[in-house]
């Protein structure tokens, strides 16, 4: 049976539109534009829950190798770490304690309600090869004990770059913290922080990482704190920090449009901090609160989220992101510890490899589709790498793909390294590990295994077409 002429035209129009929908074109700037954000030498860091920090360093074999892998991706700079979380406000410093930390719990998967730590805690943290932010107690309202701890930390830790006073103070009241007796809200907390900044800052200098709240700004954020500061208190602040746990399903978490919307909600807060001459960081972040969601946080989709939010945040002038690692054995989002290797670690390595040695970054996609594109520029101002993410949700069946057409290229070809897994729901603990350039990270040791694979894509004129499957990401080496 013949197809009517108009129907024939409709079919070819539909096919043409389908083809257009699976392709997008991006022009690579020849040099770093003025709109590009400056890159930290190691934008992706790790946050360790306060009471678990000694155990991560001394009992989890994978910890030093996983950090070393990130350092290699960063061209030699170790990832920054932050030591803190809920238990920093349950911890009191004991200068006579010989152990790193002491506490009692009913189960090894519980977090302690009270704990003590001694000088060896600082010695252990001071031995780390990278920069360290230390979270100290404000909840107990004992500023003398906190000042003593801060002074000791600064004295022995040559890598100390920041000190927090309190973790997520908006929950001090519900947690029964002594400092929150009476009226406790964003305004009273801001006044409290300013007072503590002056007392702790006087003892250790301008090392304060301020705010450290989880609730969305503008309340409990940099803008509100800045309005409560006098020049003395502000002078002791080095960095403003906010916490960020988007949550949701795997599909909603990894959605590029959702990542952009999430990061954009901090735009005003970041601008306020930058205007005051301070850096802005996600001092604690991960896929979902409370150690993660069992059905979401260990997945490959969460790995793509780690990669995506790292790229979007840095391109939005958020200097660093500290991905939280909680109670060992009860931590769904951890990169190592609960599972020998967690899939989200692959997203961190992907983004670190895109950043490695770069000096600036700019987003070149629209921000409202499933497709993300970022250009990283080197010290010479020239484009060095392009990071591409296809956040279309794929679980089974025929895997779709999207073609990123890159224009403004030089040379005859580019190399591509691919982050992939069987699906967005793949999990290492269920026998389905991702690969990064054909390689995996060995369970228990975090050592790289397998042979690296880099694909070659021909440059035709000044254009290269890079195909990225649904729920995949690639780094293009220019």
């Amino acid at each position: 049976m013949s197809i009517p002429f108009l129907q024939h035209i409709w079919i070819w129009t539909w096919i043409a539109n389908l083809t257009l929908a699976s392709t997008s074109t991006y022009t690579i700037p020849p040099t770093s534009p003025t709109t590009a954000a400056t890159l930290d030498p190691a934008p992706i860091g790790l946050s360790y829950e306060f009471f678990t920090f000694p155990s991560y360093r001394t009992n989890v074999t994978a910890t030093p190798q996983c950090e070393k892998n990130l350092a290699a991706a960063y061209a030699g700079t170790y990832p920054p770490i932050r030591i803190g979380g809920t238990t920093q406000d349950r911890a009191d410093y004991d200068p006579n304690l010989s152990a790193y930390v002491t506490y009692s719990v009913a189960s090894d998967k519980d977090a302690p309600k009270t704990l003590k730590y001694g000088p060896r805690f600082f010695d252990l943290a001071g031995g780390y090869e990278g920069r360290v932010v230390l979270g100290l107690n404000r909840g107990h309202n004992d500023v003398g004990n906190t000042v003593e701890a801060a002074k000791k930390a600064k004295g022995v830790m040559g890598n100390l770059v920041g000190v927090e006073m309190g973790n997520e103070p908006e929950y001090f009241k519900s947690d029964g913290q002594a400092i929150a007796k009476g009226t406790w809200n964003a305004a009273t907390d801001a006044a409290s922080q300013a007072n503590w900044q002056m007392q702790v800052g006087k003892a250790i200098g301008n090392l304060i990482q301020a705010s450290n709240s989880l609730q969305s700004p503008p309340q409990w954020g940099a803008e509100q704190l800045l309005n409560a500061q006098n020049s003395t208190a502000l002078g002791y602040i080095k960095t403003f920090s906010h916490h960020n746990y988007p949550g949701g399903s795997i599909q909603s978490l990894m959605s590029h449009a959702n990542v952009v919307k999430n990061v954009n909600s901090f735009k005003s807060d970041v601008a306020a901090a930058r205007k005051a001459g301070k850096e802005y960081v996600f001092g604690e972040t991960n896929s979902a609160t409370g150690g993660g969601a069992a059905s979401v946080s260990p997945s490959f989709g969460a790995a793509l989220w780690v990669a995506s939010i790292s790229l979007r945040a840095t391109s939005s002038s958020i200097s660093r992101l500290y991905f939280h690692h909680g109670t060992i054995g009860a931590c769904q989002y951890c990169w190592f510890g609960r599972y020998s290797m967690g899939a989200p670690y692959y997203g961190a390595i992907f983004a670190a490899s895109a950043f490695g040695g770069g000096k600036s970054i700019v987003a070149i996609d629209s921000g409202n589709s499933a497709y993300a594109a970022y250009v990283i520029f080197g010290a010479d101002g020239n484009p060095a790498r392009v990071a591409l993410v296809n956040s279309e949700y794929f679980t089974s069946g025929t895997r779709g793909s999207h073609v990123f057409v890159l224009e403004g290229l030089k040379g005859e070809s580019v190399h591509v390294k691919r982050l992939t897994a069987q699906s967005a729901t793949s999990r290492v603990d269920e026998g389905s590990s991702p690969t990064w350039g054909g390689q995996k990270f060995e369970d228990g040791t975090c050592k790289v295994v397998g042979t690296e694979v880099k694909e070659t894509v021909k440059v035709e004129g000044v254009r290269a077409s890079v195909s990225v499957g649904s729920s995949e990401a690639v780094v293009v080496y220019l």
Side-chain angles (χ1 to χ4, degrees):
M1 183 178 69
S2 63
I3 301 175
F5 178 72
L6 289 177
Q7 186 176 348
H8 184 86
I9 291 177
W10 180 87
I11 290 173
W12 280 109
T13 301
W14 177 80
I15 292 172
N17 288 337
L18 184 64
T19 303
L20 288 172
S22 63
T23 303
S24 53
T25 301
Y26 307 88
T27 300
I28 309 301
T31 58
S32 180
T34 57
T35 55
T38 301
L39 275 176
D40 185 87
I44 299 174
L46 298 102
S47 169
Y48 293 110
E49 183 64 42
F50 193 93
F51 87 96
T52 66
F53 171 70
S55 192
Y56 271 108
R57 299 236 69 79
T58 61
N59 296 326
V60 178
T61 304
T63 302
Q65 185 62 48
C66 282
E67 293 167 342
K68 186 177 180 180
N69 294 342
L70 286 166
Y74 286 139
T77 301
Y78 267 77
I81 66 171
R82 172 259 189 175
I83 305 165
T86 302
T87 55
Q88 77 183 64
D89 285 298
R90 301 175 183 176
D92 294 310
Y93 176 57
D94 182 349
N96 300 311
L97 186 68
S98 60
Y100 296 124
V101 63
T102 60
Y103 56 86
S104 178
V105 290
S107 166
D108 61 5
K109 294 184 179 180
D110 291 338
K113 297 297 182 183
T114 60
L115 59 148
K116 292 184 181 296
Y117 63 100
R120 290 185 65 204
F121 190 98
F122 303 130
D123 293 334
L124 186 63
Y128 178 62
E129 295 91 335
R131 295 164 289 171
V132 179
V133 173
L134 181 66
L136 298 177
N137 194 324
R138 185 160 59 98
H140 285 179
N141 203 24
D142 187 347
V143 71
N145 186 262
T146 297
V147 167
E148 184 180 10
K151 289 171 69 175
K152 180 64 176 180
K154 185 179 180 183
V156 301
M157 292 175 61
N159 55 1
L160 184 68
V161 297
V163 172
E164 297 177 358
M165 280 95 67
N167 176 80
E168 298 178 2
E170 61 266 51
Y171 302 116
F172 279 176
K173 188 79 171 181
S174 59
D175 288 346
Q177 293 286 6
I179 200 169
K181 290 180 179 178
T183 301
W184 188 256
N185 53 34
T188 54
D189 170 63
S192 169
Q193 287 205 45
N195 178 46
W196 277 61
Q197 283 163 213
M198 288 187 285
Q199 295 186 69
V200 177
K202 185 177 179 180
I204 65 171
N206 63 328
L207 289 175
I208 306 303
Q209 182 157 294
S211 185
N212 310 302
S213 295
L214 176 60
Q215 290 190 28
S216 298
Q219 282 200 327
W220 304 97
E223 286 184 278
Q224 178 141 7
L225 279 178
L226 282 164
N227 290 332
Q229 304 283 321
N230 60 31
S231 59
T232 302
L234 181 61
Y236 290 124
I237 293 179
K238 185 176 183 180
T239 308
F240 281 100
S241 163
H242 214 92
H243 297 182
N244 185 227
Y245 288 89
S249 65
I250 297 175
Q251 186 172 8
S252 67
L253 178 71
M254 63 182 277
S255 161
H256 176 52
N258 286 348
V259 168
V260 172
K261 182 180 179 181
N262 176 26
V263 173
N264 282 349
S265 69
F266 293 89
K267 186 175 181 179
S268 179
D269 221 38
V270 174
R274 291 288 180 178
K275 184 178 180 180
K278 312 297 181 181
E279 286 191 316
Y280 196 98
V281 303
F282 282 163
E284 184 183 310
T285 187
N286 221 310
S287 52
T289 57
S295 60
V296 176
S297 299
S299 70
F300 180 63
L304 292 172
W305 169 78
V306 169
S308 291
I309 195 167
S310 299
L311 291 159
R312 198 73 195 187
T314 53
S315 66
S316 302
S317 295
I318 296 172
S319 297
R320 291 174 296 283
L321 305 89
Y322 297 85
F323 289 86
H324 200 52
H325 288 61
T327 306
I328 298 169
C331 183
Q332 298 286 347
Y333 53 46
C334 284
W335 298 347
F336 43 85
R338 181 181 189 274
Y339 305 107
S340 294
M341 284 305 305
Y345 181 70
Y346 287 79
I349 284 288
F350 169 88
S353 300
F355 294 138
K359 297 301 180 182
S360 62
I361 181 173
V362 66
I364 57 171
D365 63 85
S366 65
N368 55 17
S369 74
Y371 315 116
Y374 303 87
V375 183
I376 294 88
F377 301 86
D380 58 4
N382 295 326
R385 288 172 295 281
V386 181
L388 306 174
V389 182
N390 181 346
S391 71
E392 292 176 331
Y393 183 62
F394 172 72
T395 55
S396 61
T398 302
R399 192 172 208 151
S401 63
H402 182 77
V403 176
F404 293 80
V405 179
L406 306 180
E407 294 187 331
L409 302 180
K410 299 178 182 179
E412 296 181 353
S413 63
V414 293
H415 296 292
V416 174
K417 197 169 177 180
R418 190 174 301 272
L419 175 67
T420 190
Q422 288 184 3
S423 73
T425 57
S426 293
R427 294 169 51 146
V428 176
D429 63 312
E430 294 179 350
S432 183
S433 176
T435 57
W436 164 231
Q439 295 176 310
K440 298 180 181 180
F441 299 94
E442 186 176 64
D443 288 348
T445 69
C446 205
K447 291 181 179 178
V448 180
V449 294
T451 302
E452 183 183 44
V453 175
K454 279 190 176 181
E455 306 160 27
T456 300
V457 176
K458 186 178 180 182
V459 175
E460 298 180 350
V462 294
R463 309 176 83 202
S465 298
V466 181
S467 180
V468 184
S470 300
S471 302
E472 278 191 347
V474 303
V475 173
V476 182
Y477 297 80
L478 304 179

